[in-house]
Amino acid sequence: MLSITRIANHCWLHRPLFTLSNRPSITKLKLSTFSSVEVSCSSDEECDNFLPWLERKAGTKISSVLSIGKSAYGRSLLASKSIEPGDCMLKVPYNVHSEWAPFMSRLPQLGEMHNTAFGHFPEFFDGITFDDFRHAYALVESRAWRSTRGVSLIPFADFLNHDGAAEEVVLSDEDKKLSEVIADRNYSPGDQVLIRYGKFSNATLLLDFGFTLSYNIYDEVRIQVNIPRHDPLCAKKLELLHVHCTPAIEDVNGFSSSQDSFTIKEVRSAKGKGRGIPQSLRAFARVLCSTSSQELSDLAMEAVQNDGRLARHPLKNKTRELEAHWFLLSKITRLVEEHNVSIKSLEPSSSPFMFQKFALRKQMARDLLAGELRVLKSASEWLKNYCTTLSKS
């Protein structure tokens, strides 16, 4: 059985520095060459014997068009010959995937482990420090792939760096018991072949892989909105939201939203339809800004008469509609201010030693905050335009 997935694009590339979770499913790989930035690559002589060794272990040819090379971001896979669309670039049999996968998948997860074990049971960890363990954990986790078979390591494929600037097809053939990569563009000898780890925001890339992108079109901001406990209608509003709430929906990366947690994405046009600001968030604000039981009853009746979704249409009371969106605007404006303060606190230190030591971490933090700030500002501009247009109507 073939499983095929095509994924849309973003750009840049890095190698994982550390990780706290597995890479995405093997059916979500995406390949390209890195075209937006010049990155010099060269052959990696230290690894010249790796592919022949792996092919002897597998008992079959894995790749005749790729070789292991070095780039500014670590080891990588390079095209060793010209490659055309439709060519199979990489074919790794399941029998050389991690033979320890069944065992590893049954080990305690990170949240189930207690670091005090290193101190209280030295006989089990003789000569092993927590840094040793963290290094081993990061090495495995940053190279582990999820597929229909579970979690496994795929030798040779783990040299693929992250990009995502082009469409590509990846097949996981359960019948032939192998994973393969099919090119959908031309590659010249020396081009680096890359994968996209997923449609991940900088927050996810930083947490799971230890790097960020200077510009990431998948950046998003998770915000939480609560009904104040001192609101005299708090109980009724919560009940109304509970009755008419939309079940949590997982996105393409497996993340889900709850009743009072919302994910904002970048709004492309201040005068457009506000795509990126969830309708559920606007509905929440409309309920929150209601000031009487009658208004809440009207919202409940409207939901029943339509598709069951609560407050998805503009409120008939224009004053309340404005209040709801000014409320959202004030919350987002506050987040914009907080992000600006945080970014300013990351300005270079006057101490050369401190600057060198934390330069990479500060840069990743700036990338993360700058991406979220861009999203928040786009939402702010859309809300300002919406309120201005509504007040003039």
Side-chain angles (χ1 to χ4, degrees):
M1 179 180 67
L2 297 179
S3 57
I4 306 174
T5 303
R6 286 185 178 270
I7 309 177
N9 67 7
H10 69 81
C11 53
W12 204 257
L13 81 94
H14 280 280
R15 284 294 294 167
L17 299 179
F18 64 87
T19 181
L20 295 178
S21 71
N22 293 309
R23 279 184 179 178
S25 162
I26 183 150
T27 60
K28 292 185 179 179
L29 299 184
K30 162 129 187 238
L31 296 112
S32 70
T33 57
F34 192 69
S35 56
S36 57
V37 172
E38 292 296 327
V39 178
S40 61
C41 302
S42 61
S43 175
D44 189 345
E45 295 180 358
E46 294 179 3
C47 292
D48 283 349
N49 62 347
F50 178 77
L51 183 56
W53 169 83
L54 186 63
E55 291 177 335
R56 287 196 299 271
K57 178 178 175 60
T60 186
K61 195 72 176 176
I62 288 177
S63 178
S64 61
V65 296
L66 297 178
S67 61
I68 301 173
K70 288 182 178 179
S71 72
Y73 301 102
R75 287 196 168 101
S76 56
L77 290 186
L78 310 179
S80 56
K81 299 179 180 178
S82 295
I83 301 172
E84 297 180 353
D87 289 349
C88 181
M89 298 188 290
L90 174 66
K91 188 179 293 185
V92 183
Y94 286 173
N95 69 324
V96 294
H97 290 194
S98 173
E99 298 173 352
W100 292 90
F103 165 69
M104 292 170 57
S105 65
R106 288 162 177 78
L107 292 175
Q109 299 301 303
L110 183 62
E112 302 171 335
M113 302 180 69
H114 301 283
N115 299 341
T116 52
F118 285 91
H120 289 287
F121 303 102
E123 65 273 19
F124 296 125
F125 302 100
D126 185 30
I128 300 176
T129 66
F130 180 66
D131 284 342
D132 294 331
F133 168 79
R134 185 169 56 182
H135 178 227
Y137 180 86
L139 285 175
V140 173
E141 286 286 280
S142 64
R143 287 157 176 78
W145 300 92
R146 289 190 182 279
S147 70
T148 55
R149 302 173 57 248
V151 180
S152 60
L153 300 178
I154 307 178
F156 196 63
D158 73 340
F159 291 116
L160 291 163
N161 282 322
H162 174 67
D163 179 18
E167 293 292 340
E168 202 75 36
V169 177
V170 175
L171 304 175
S172 179
D173 194 324
E174 298 293 341
D175 295 329
K176 296 181 180 179
K177 304 299 181 184
L178 56 83
S179 303
E180 59 184 7
V181 174
I182 307 298
D184 75 344
R185 54 145 292 169
N186 292 310
Y187 293 84
S188 299
D191 285 345
Q192 184 174 186
V193 178
L194 307 168
I195 65 173
R196 185 179 67 188
Y197 296 166
K199 295 181 179 180
F200 297 135
S201 67
N202 270 343
T204 300
L205 291 176
L206 179 58
L207 180 64
D208 290 0
F209 300 101
F211 66 86
T212 55
L213 311 178
S214 59
Y215 182 84
N216 187 343
I217 64 172
Y218 298 109
D219 272 329
E220 58 190 25
V221 180
R222 180 69 64 89
I223 68 172
Q224 190 165 2
V225 186
N226 298 307
I227 297 177
R229 293 296 178 184
H230 58 75
D231 187 334
L233 295 173
C234 178
K236 289 186 177 181
K237 291 177 180 179
L238 289 174
E239 180 182 3
L240 184 63
L241 288 165
H242 177 72
V243 170
H244 293 279
C245 71
T246 303
I249 300 176
E250 288 193 350
D251 64 18
V252 68
N253 297 316
F255 302 120
S256 61
S257 58
S258 61
Q259 182 174 309
D260 59 354
S261 180
F262 306 90
T263 299
I264 296 178
K265 300 180 184 295
E266 186 171 4
V267 183
R268 300 300 180 181
S269 171
K271 297 182 179 180
K273 296 182 178 180
R275 291 178 180 175
I277 302 178
Q279 281 288 346
S280 56
L281 173 58
R282 299 173 68 190
F284 191 101
R286 287 166 178 148
V287 172
L288 188 149
C289 291
S290 297
T291 58
S292 69
S293 297
Q294 185 59 50
E295 289 180 353
L296 296 177
S297 297
D298 290 344
L299 288 175
M301 181 63 68
E302 182 184 84
V304 171
Q305 292 174 346
N306 291 291
D307 57 4
R309 297 188 300 173
L310 182 67
R312 296 304 176 98
H313 301 290
L315 296 174
K316 296 176 182 178
N317 186 324
K318 188 169 73 172
T319 300
R320 291 285 178 267
E321 179 73 356
L322 277 169
E323 287 178 359
H325 287 78
W326 280 120
F327 164 78
L328 291 180
L329 180 59
S330 66
K331 184 171 184 65
I332 289 175
T333 298
R334 189 161 57 250
L335 290 172
V336 167
E337 294 170 352
E338 292 173 358
H339 277 64
N340 278 325
V341 171
S342 297
I343 290 174
K344 189 173 182 179
S345 71
L346 293 170
E347 292 179 352
S349 169
S350 58
S351 168
F353 171 76
M354 292 298 290
F355 175 74
Q356 182 178 6
K357 183 176 181 181
F358 297 109
L360 178 58
R361 294 183 183 182
K362 284 189 174 183
Q363 184 57 53
M364 290 192 293
R366 281 193 292 268
D367 289 342
L368 171 63
L369 291 168
E372 292 189 347
L373 182 60
R374 187 182 69 253
V375 172
L376 291 168
K377 283 184 174 180
S378 73
S380 174
E381 288 302 312
W382 187 89
L383 287 166
K384 286 178 183 177
N385 185 71
Y386 180 83
C387 291
T388 300
T389 303
L390 184 62
S391 62
K392 292 179 179 179
S393 63

